[in-house]
Amino acid sequence: MRGKQGAAAVVGLLAVTTLAGLATPASASAANSFADRSIVRVTEDGWRIKLSKKRERVRSVPPLDQSPWTRESFLTLRGSVSITGASRIPVNAGTVSSGFQIACNTDISSGLTLGVIAGPTAQMSISYPPAAIIGGQALGNISTTIRPGAIYDISFGTKPLAGPKAGLGLEGVHAKVSSCLGPVSVRAYVRVALSTPTNDDTYHLYGKPHYL
């Protein structure tokens, strides 16, 4: 009888340990900085657009709630655009925006087997001070339900173009994903949209994926 109880205890321990191993990111407390990158595009109207991603940094930390189902990190990113050329067609309006795309591998809001019960709903929250962007638009707090198989576009803000150059950047943005089993992936992006009397053009620049 003791042998069977001991074997059952070992099996249960291994099961919980395996789940915890899957839920705990390998890069917890790791700091990752990614190289600056730029692309150049020419619009149909002849404008030369340079889109840049700078100072991208993803710092994963052990979650403050100490839950194996929570991912916590701090994100830094700057996006900028410059317009050059001698087109005869004026640019009526334009914006540059930057942010991160975030995805959860597996939603465990309905609970797990082997006696391990998860939280009520897979949730993601992004928080940062809106005053960090002057003359543009920024959201203070973002909280949403996330589902597996979906990628969420989280914009840090949008800056209207008032001249040939514009940019926006934020440092240390707090990001938290809860009730998620397996890796949470993030990917930086910078986007510019231009409008002229004859054309509308939108260009994107993406960073490399990082797993929290």
PDB file of all heavy atoms in Angstrom, residues 54-59 73-79 98 100 127-129 132-133 156 168-175:
ATOM      1  N   LYS A  54      14.084  52.182 -32.912  1.00  0.00           N
ATOM      2  CA  LYS A  54      15.274  52.412 -32.097  1.00  0.00           C
ATOM      3  C   LYS A  54      15.006  52.057 -30.638  1.00  0.00           C
ATOM      4  O   LYS A  54      13.872  52.057 -30.177  1.00  0.00           O
ATOM      5  CB  LYS A  54      15.708  53.879 -32.191  1.00  0.00           C
ATOM      6  CG  LYS A  54      16.035  54.357 -33.597  1.00  0.00           C
ATOM      7  CD  LYS A  54      16.420  55.829 -33.604  1.00  0.00           C
ATOM      8  CE  LYS A  54      16.750  56.304 -35.005  1.00  0.00           C
ATOM      9  NZ  LYS A  54      17.102  57.760 -35.018  1.00  0.00           N
ATOM     10  N   ARG A  55      16.095  51.775 -29.936  1.00  0.00           N
ATOM     11  CA  ARG A  55      16.091  51.550 -28.487  1.00  0.00           C
ATOM     12  C   ARG A  55      15.059  50.518 -28.035  1.00  0.00           C
ATOM     13  O   ARG A  55      14.461  50.640 -26.961  1.00  0.00           O
ATOM     14  CB  ARG A  55      15.899  52.877 -27.742  1.00  0.00           C
ATOM     15  CG  ARG A  55      17.017  53.874 -27.995  1.00  0.00           C
ATOM     16  CD  ARG A  55      17.041  54.966 -26.955  1.00  0.00           C
ATOM     17  NE  ARG A  55      15.942  55.903 -27.070  1.00  0.00           N
ATOM     18  CZ  ARG A  55      15.953  56.964 -27.872  1.00  0.00           C
ATOM     19  NH1 ARG A  55      16.993  57.200 -28.646  1.00  0.00           N
ATOM     20  NH2 ARG A  55      14.933  57.785 -27.896  1.00  0.00           N
ATOM     21  N   GLU A  56      14.825  49.505 -28.859  1.00  0.00           N
ATOM     22  CA  GLU A  56      13.885  48.452 -28.466  1.00  0.00           C
ATOM     23  C   GLU A  56      14.495  47.604 -27.356  1.00  0.00           C
ATOM     24  O   GLU A  56      15.621  47.126 -27.455  1.00  0.00           O
ATOM     25  CB  GLU A  56      13.549  47.555 -29.656  1.00  0.00           C
ATOM     26  CG  GLU A  56      12.577  46.444 -29.294  1.00  0.00           C
ATOM     27  CD  GLU A  56      12.388  45.444 -30.422  1.00  0.00           C
ATOM     28  OE1 GLU A  56      12.911  45.673 -31.530  1.00  0.00           O
ATOM     29  OE2 GLU A  56      11.718  44.427 -30.182  1.00  0.00           O
ATOM     30  N   ARG A  57      13.739  47.419 -26.291  1.00  0.00           N
ATOM     31  CA  ARG A  57      14.221  46.664 -25.142  1.00  0.00           C
ATOM     32  C   ARG A  57      13.037  45.940 -24.483  1.00  0.00           C
ATOM     33  O   ARG A  57      11.988  46.538 -24.260  1.00  0.00           O
ATOM     34  CB  ARG A  57      14.902  47.580 -24.128  1.00  0.00           C
ATOM     35  CG  ARG A  57      15.503  46.869 -22.923  1.00  0.00           C
ATOM     36  CD  ARG A  57      16.188  47.888 -22.013  1.00  0.00           C
ATOM     37  NE  ARG A  57      16.683  47.278 -20.798  1.00  0.00           N
ATOM     38  CZ  ARG A  57      17.879  46.700 -20.662  1.00  0.00           C
ATOM     39  NH1 ARG A  57      18.687  46.644 -21.714  1.00  0.00           N
ATOM     40  NH2 ARG A  57      18.261  46.190 -19.531  1.00  0.00           N
ATOM     41  N   VAL A  58      13.226  44.668 -24.207  1.00  0.00           N
ATOM     42  CA  VAL A  58      12.224  43.858 -23.521  1.00  0.00           C
ATOM     43  C   VAL A  58      12.876  43.244 -22.294  1.00  0.00           C
ATOM     44  O   VAL A  58      13.804  42.442 -22.410  1.00  0.00           O
ATOM     45  CB  VAL A  58      11.665  42.753 -24.433  1.00  0.00           C
ATOM     46  CG1 VAL A  58      10.666  41.889 -23.678  1.00  0.00           C
ATOM     47  CG2 VAL A  58      11.015  43.351 -25.673  1.00  0.00           C
ATOM     48  N   ARG A  59      12.434  43.640 -21.111  1.00  0.00           N
ATOM     49  CA  ARG A  59      13.011  43.114 -19.867  1.00  0.00           C
ATOM     50  C   ARG A  59      11.964  42.281 -19.143  1.00  0.00           C
ATOM     51  O   ARG A  59      11.020  42.804 -18.560  1.00  0.00           O
ATOM     52  CB  ARG A  59      13.499  44.259 -18.977  1.00  0.00           C
ATOM     53  CG  ARG A  59      14.184  43.769 -17.693  1.00  0.00           C
ATOM     54  CD  ARG A  59      14.931  44.898 -17.007  1.00  0.00           C
ATOM     55  NE  ARG A  59      14.043  45.950 -16.557  1.00  0.00           N
ATOM     56  CZ  ARG A  59      13.480  45.983 -15.351  1.00  0.00           C
ATOM     57  NH1 ARG A  59      13.713  45.003 -14.484  1.00  0.00           N
ATOM     58  NH2 ARG A  59      12.701  46.983 -15.006  1.00  0.00           N
ATOM     59  N   SER A  73       6.693  42.040 -17.698  1.00  0.00           N
ATOM     60  CA  SER A  73       7.863  42.598 -18.370  1.00  0.00           C
ATOM     61  C   SER A  73       7.741  44.110 -18.475  1.00  0.00           C
ATOM     62  O   SER A  73       6.678  44.688 -18.202  1.00  0.00           O
ATOM     63  CB  SER A  73       8.020  41.997 -19.774  1.00  0.00           C
ATOM     64  OG  SER A  73       6.915  42.359 -20.579  1.00  0.00           O
ATOM     65  N   PHE A  74       8.848  44.732 -18.880  1.00  0.00           N
ATOM     66  CA  PHE A  74       8.899  46.169 -19.098  1.00  0.00           C
ATOM     67  C   PHE A  74       9.434  46.411 -20.511  1.00  0.00           C
ATOM     68  O   PHE A  74      10.475  45.876 -20.884  1.00  0.00           O
ATOM     69  CB  PHE A  74       9.770  46.852 -18.044  1.00  0.00           C
ATOM     70  CG  PHE A  74       9.200  46.736 -16.651  1.00  0.00           C
ATOM     71  CD1 PHE A  74       9.541  45.663 -15.841  1.00  0.00           C
ATOM     72  CD2 PHE A  74       8.298  47.679 -16.179  1.00  0.00           C
ATOM     73  CE1 PHE A  74       9.008  45.535 -14.567  1.00  0.00           C
ATOM     74  CE2 PHE A  74       7.762  47.561 -14.904  1.00  0.00           C
ATOM     75  CZ  PHE A  74       8.112  46.492 -14.098  1.00  0.00           C
ATOM     76  N   LEU A  75       8.700  47.211 -21.277  1.00  0.00           N
ATOM     77  CA  LEU A  75       8.988  47.387 -22.699  1.00  0.00           C
ATOM     78  C   LEU A  75       9.427  48.810 -23.000  1.00  0.00           C
ATOM     79  O   LEU A  75       8.882  49.772 -22.444  1.00  0.00           O
ATOM     80  CB  LEU A  75       7.733  47.072 -23.520  1.00  0.00           C
ATOM     81  CG  LEU A  75       7.018  45.751 -23.205  1.00  0.00           C
ATOM     82  CD1 LEU A  75       5.730  45.651 -24.004  1.00  0.00           C
ATOM     83  CD2 LEU A  75       7.918  44.562 -23.475  1.00  0.00           C
ATOM     84  N   THR A  76      10.411  48.928 -23.881  1.00  0.00           N
ATOM     85  CA  THR A  76      10.908  50.240 -24.307  1.00  0.00           C
ATOM     86  C   THR A  76      11.021  50.244 -25.829  1.00  0.00           C
ATOM     87  O   THR A  76      11.474  49.264 -26.423  1.00  0.00           O
ATOM     88  CB  THR A  76      12.281  50.536 -23.689  1.00  0.00           C
ATOM     89  OG1 THR A  76      12.145  50.627 -22.265  1.00  0.00           O
ATOM     90  CG2 THR A  76      12.852  51.844 -24.207  1.00  0.00           C
ATOM     91  N   LEU A  77      10.605  51.332 -26.450  1.00  0.00           N
ATOM     92  CA  LEU A  77      10.646  51.405 -27.908  1.00  0.00           C
ATOM     93  C   LEU A  77      10.526  52.853 -28.366  1.00  0.00           C
ATOM     94  O   LEU A  77       9.812  53.650 -27.752  1.00  0.00           O
ATOM     95  CB  LEU A  77       9.496  50.595 -28.508  1.00  0.00           C
ATOM     96  CG  LEU A  77       9.382  50.572 -30.036  1.00  0.00           C
ATOM     97  CD1 LEU A  77      10.570  49.852 -30.652  1.00  0.00           C
ATOM     98  CD2 LEU A  77       8.071  49.906 -30.464  1.00  0.00           C
ATOM     99  N   ARG A  78      11.258  53.182 -29.442  1.00  0.00           N
ATOM    100  CA  ARG A  78      11.086  54.481 -30.100  1.00  0.00           C
ATOM    101  C   ARG A  78      10.920  54.245 -31.594  1.00  0.00           C
ATOM    102  O   ARG A  78      11.687  53.515 -32.215  1.00  0.00           O
ATOM    103  CB  ARG A  78      12.272  55.412 -29.865  1.00  0.00           C
ATOM    104  CG  ARG A  78      12.122  56.732 -30.612  1.00  0.00           C
ATOM    105  CD  ARG A  78      13.102  57.797 -30.186  1.00  0.00           C
ATOM    106  NE  ARG A  78      12.879  59.031 -30.933  1.00  0.00           N
ATOM    107  CZ  ARG A  78      11.934  59.919 -30.667  1.00  0.00           C
ATOM    108  NH1 ARG A  78      11.122  59.722 -29.647  1.00  0.00           N
ATOM    109  NH2 ARG A  78      11.783  61.009 -31.398  1.00  0.00           N
ATOM    110  N   GLY A  79       9.886  54.887 -32.153  1.00  0.00           N
ATOM    111  CA  GLY A  79       9.651  54.820 -33.589  1.00  0.00           C
ATOM    112  C   GLY A  79       9.713  56.210 -34.185  1.00  0.00           C
ATOM    113  O   GLY A  79       9.277  57.183 -33.563  1.00  0.00           O
ATOM    114  N   SER A  98       3.801  53.494 -32.951  1.00  0.00           N
ATOM    115  CA  SER A  98       4.673  52.388 -32.574  1.00  0.00           C
ATOM    116  C   SER A  98       4.033  51.621 -31.426  1.00  0.00           C
ATOM    117  O   SER A  98       3.186  52.144 -30.702  1.00  0.00           O
ATOM    118  CB  SER A  98       6.057  52.893 -32.165  1.00  0.00           C
ATOM    119  OG  SER A  98       5.989  53.665 -30.978  1.00  0.00           O
ATOM    120  N   PHE A 100       3.662  47.211 -29.689  1.00  0.00           N
ATOM    121  CA  PHE A 100       4.031  45.800 -29.689  1.00  0.00           C
ATOM    122  C   PHE A 100       2.823  44.944 -30.038  1.00  0.00           C
ATOM    123  O   PHE A 100       1.690  45.275 -29.678  1.00  0.00           O
ATOM    124  CB  PHE A 100       4.558  45.372 -28.315  1.00  0.00           C
ATOM    125  CG  PHE A 100       5.989  45.743 -28.063  1.00  0.00           C
ATOM    126  CD1 PHE A 100       6.321  47.010 -27.614  1.00  0.00           C
ATOM    127  CD2 PHE A 100       7.008  44.828 -28.268  1.00  0.00           C
ATOM    128  CE1 PHE A 100       7.639  47.353 -27.378  1.00  0.00           C
ATOM    129  CE2 PHE A 100       8.317  45.160 -28.037  1.00  0.00           C
ATOM    130  CZ  PHE A 100       8.649  46.424 -27.585  1.00  0.00           C
ATOM    131  N   SER A 127       0.234  49.350 -19.065  1.00  0.00           N
ATOM    132  CA  SER A 127       0.021  50.633 -18.399  1.00  0.00           C
ATOM    133  C   SER A 127       1.243  51.522 -18.559  1.00  0.00           C
ATOM    134  O   SER A 127       2.373  51.073 -18.464  1.00  0.00           O
ATOM    135  CB  SER A 127      -0.272  50.415 -16.907  1.00  0.00           C
ATOM    136  OG  SER A 127       0.799  49.759 -16.279  1.00  0.00           O
ATOM    137  N   TYR A 128       0.972  52.799 -18.821  1.00  0.00           N
ATOM    138  CA  TYR A 128       2.027  53.801 -18.907  1.00  0.00           C
ATOM    139  C   TYR A 128       1.386  55.179 -18.873  1.00  0.00           C
ATOM    140  O   TYR A 128       0.202  55.320 -19.187  1.00  0.00           O
ATOM    141  CB  TYR A 128       2.867  53.622 -20.176  1.00  0.00           C
ATOM    142  CG  TYR A 128       2.075  53.575 -21.451  1.00  0.00           C
ATOM    143  CD1 TYR A 128       1.828  54.726 -22.194  1.00  0.00           C
ATOM    144  CD2 TYR A 128       1.562  52.371 -21.912  1.00  0.00           C
ATOM    145  CE1 TYR A 128       1.103  54.671 -23.364  1.00  0.00           C
ATOM    146  CE2 TYR A 128       0.835  52.313 -23.090  1.00  0.00           C
ATOM    147  CZ  TYR A 128       0.613  53.464 -23.810  1.00  0.00           C
ATOM    148  OH  TYR A 128      -0.108  53.407 -24.962  1.00  0.00           O
ATOM    149  N   PRO A 129       2.142  56.210 -18.517  1.00  0.00           N
ATOM    150  CA  PRO A 129       1.542  57.549 -18.398  1.00  0.00           C
ATOM    151  C   PRO A 129       1.306  58.182 -19.762  1.00  0.00           C
ATOM    152  O   PRO A 129       2.217  58.272 -20.574  1.00  0.00           O
ATOM    153  CB  PRO A 129       2.602  58.333 -17.604  1.00  0.00           C
ATOM    154  CG  PRO A 129       3.879  57.618 -17.892  1.00  0.00           C
ATOM    155  CD  PRO A 129       3.526  56.170 -18.065  1.00  0.00           C
ATOM    156  N   ALA A 132       3.515  61.018 -21.450  1.00  0.00           N
ATOM    157  CA  ALA A 132       4.843  60.765 -22.005  1.00  0.00           C
ATOM    158  C   ALA A 132       4.933  61.186 -23.471  1.00  0.00           C
ATOM    159  O   ALA A 132       6.009  61.397 -23.990  1.00  0.00           O
ATOM    160  CB  ALA A 132       5.211  59.287 -21.871  1.00  0.00           C
ATOM    161  N   ILE A 133       3.801  61.302 -24.160  1.00  0.00           N
ATOM    162  CA  ILE A 133       3.800  61.721 -25.553  1.00  0.00           C
ATOM    163  C   ILE A 133       3.157  63.097 -25.638  1.00  0.00           C
ATOM    164  O   ILE A 133       2.002  63.264 -25.291  1.00  0.00           O
ATOM    165  CB  ILE A 133       3.025  60.727 -26.432  1.00  0.00           C
ATOM    166  CG1 ILE A 133       3.702  59.349 -26.362  1.00  0.00           C
ATOM    167  CG2 ILE A 133       2.948  61.198 -27.863  1.00  0.00           C
ATOM    168  CD1 ILE A 133       3.013  58.301 -27.188  1.00  0.00           C
ATOM    169  N   PHE A 156       1.432  52.030 -28.647  1.00  0.00           N
ATOM    170  CA  PHE A 156       1.910  52.922 -27.596  1.00  0.00           C
ATOM    171  C   PHE A 156       1.446  54.349 -27.827  1.00  0.00           C
ATOM    172  O   PHE A 156       1.475  55.165 -26.931  1.00  0.00           O
ATOM    173  CB  PHE A 156       3.439  52.895 -27.537  1.00  0.00           C
ATOM    174  CG  PHE A 156       3.992  51.709 -26.807  1.00  0.00           C
ATOM    175  CD1 PHE A 156       3.165  50.698 -26.354  1.00  0.00           C
ATOM    176  CD2 PHE A 156       5.350  51.610 -26.567  1.00  0.00           C
ATOM    177  CE1 PHE A 156       3.678  49.603 -25.687  1.00  0.00           C
ATOM    178  CE2 PHE A 156       5.870  50.520 -25.887  1.00  0.00           C
ATOM    179  CZ  PHE A 156       5.041  49.516 -25.446  1.00  0.00           C
ATOM    180  N   LEU A 168       8.017  59.069 -31.752  1.00  0.00           N
ATOM    181  CA  LEU A 168       7.476  58.920 -30.409  1.00  0.00           C
ATOM    182  C   LEU A 168       8.158  57.734 -29.754  1.00  0.00           C
ATOM    183  O   LEU A 168       8.545  56.769 -30.404  1.00  0.00           O
ATOM    184  CB  LEU A 168       5.958  58.736 -30.424  1.00  0.00           C
ATOM    185  CG  LEU A 168       5.371  57.423 -30.952  1.00  0.00           C
ATOM    186  CD1 LEU A 168       3.918  57.297 -30.516  1.00  0.00           C
ATOM    187  CD2 LEU A 168       5.455  57.336 -32.456  1.00  0.00           C
ATOM    188  N   GLY A 169       8.344  57.840 -28.437  1.00  0.00           N
ATOM    189  CA  GLY A 169       9.006  56.757 -27.728  1.00  0.00           C
ATOM    190  C   GLY A 169       8.565  56.701 -26.280  1.00  0.00           C
ATOM    191  O   GLY A 169       8.184  57.709 -25.686  1.00  0.00           O
ATOM    192  N   LEU A 170       8.580  55.503 -25.733  1.00  0.00           N
ATOM    193  CA  LEU A 170       8.245  55.289 -24.335  1.00  0.00           C
ATOM    194  C   LEU A 170       9.261  54.324 -23.738  1.00  0.00           C
ATOM    195  O   LEU A 170       9.767  53.434 -24.421  1.00  0.00           O
ATOM    196  CB  LEU A 170       6.838  54.724 -24.189  1.00  0.00           C
ATOM    197  CG  LEU A 170       5.686  55.688 -24.520  1.00  0.00           C
ATOM    198  CD1 LEU A 170       4.368  54.940 -24.501  1.00  0.00           C
ATOM    199  CD2 LEU A 170       5.637  56.837 -23.530  1.00  0.00           C
ATOM    200  N   GLU A 171       9.522  54.490 -22.466  1.00  0.00           N
ATOM    201  CA  GLU A 171      10.511  53.649 -21.786  1.00  0.00           C
ATOM    202  C   GLU A 171       9.894  53.017 -20.541  1.00  0.00           C
ATOM    203  O   GLU A 171       9.186  53.664 -19.785  1.00  0.00           O
ATOM    204  CB  GLU A 171      11.730  54.486 -21.379  1.00  0.00           C
ATOM    205  CG  GLU A 171      12.821  53.680 -20.695  1.00  0.00           C
ATOM    206  CD  GLU A 171      14.049  54.508 -20.398  1.00  0.00           C
ATOM    207  OE1 GLU A 171      14.132  55.652 -20.905  1.00  0.00           O
ATOM    208  OE2 GLU A 171      14.927  54.033 -19.645  1.00  0.00           O
ATOM    209  N   GLY A 172      10.162  51.729 -20.349  1.00  0.00           N
ATOM    210  CA  GLY A 172       9.714  51.029 -19.157  1.00  0.00           C
ATOM    211  C   GLY A 172       8.219  50.834 -19.060  1.00  0.00           C
ATOM    212  O   GLY A 172       7.654  50.873 -17.963  1.00  0.00           O
ATOM    213  N   VAL A 173       7.540  50.602 -20.190  1.00  0.00           N
ATOM    214  CA  VAL A 173       6.099  50.358 -20.166  1.00  0.00           C
ATOM    215  C   VAL A 173       5.830  49.007 -19.500  1.00  0.00           C
ATOM    216  O   VAL A 173       6.402  47.982 -19.879  1.00  0.00           O
ATOM    217  CB  VAL A 173       5.526  50.360 -21.593  1.00  0.00           C
ATOM    218  CG1 VAL A 173       4.055  49.973 -21.575  1.00  0.00           C
ATOM    219  CG2 VAL A 173       5.713  51.722 -22.230  1.00  0.00           C
ATOM    220  N   HIS A 174       4.965  48.995 -18.503  1.00  0.00           N
ATOM    221  CA  HIS A 174       4.674  47.767 -17.765  1.00  0.00           C
ATOM    222  C   HIS A 174       3.659  46.922 -18.527  1.00  0.00           C
ATOM    223  O   HIS A 174       2.612  47.405 -18.942  1.00  0.00           O
ATOM    224  CB  HIS A 174       4.116  48.105 -16.385  1.00  0.00           C
ATOM    225  CG  HIS A 174       3.747  46.890 -15.582  1.00  0.00           C
ATOM    226  ND1 HIS A 174       2.442  46.572 -15.277  1.00  0.00           N
ATOM    227  CD2 HIS A 174       4.511  45.899 -15.049  1.00  0.00           C
ATOM    228  CE1 HIS A 174       2.427  45.455 -14.571  1.00  0.00           C
ATOM    229  NE2 HIS A 174       3.659  45.030 -14.427  1.00  0.00           N
ATOM    230  N   ALA A 175       3.986  45.651 -18.739  1.00  0.00           N
ATOM    231  CA  ALA A 175       3.086  44.723 -19.429  1.00  0.00           C
ATOM    232  C   ALA A 175       2.928  43.467 -18.591  1.00  0.00           C
ATOM    233  O   ALA A 175       3.910  42.929 -18.066  1.00  0.00           O
ATOM    234  CB  ALA A 175       3.633  44.370 -20.804  1.00  0.00           C
TER     235      ALA A 175
END
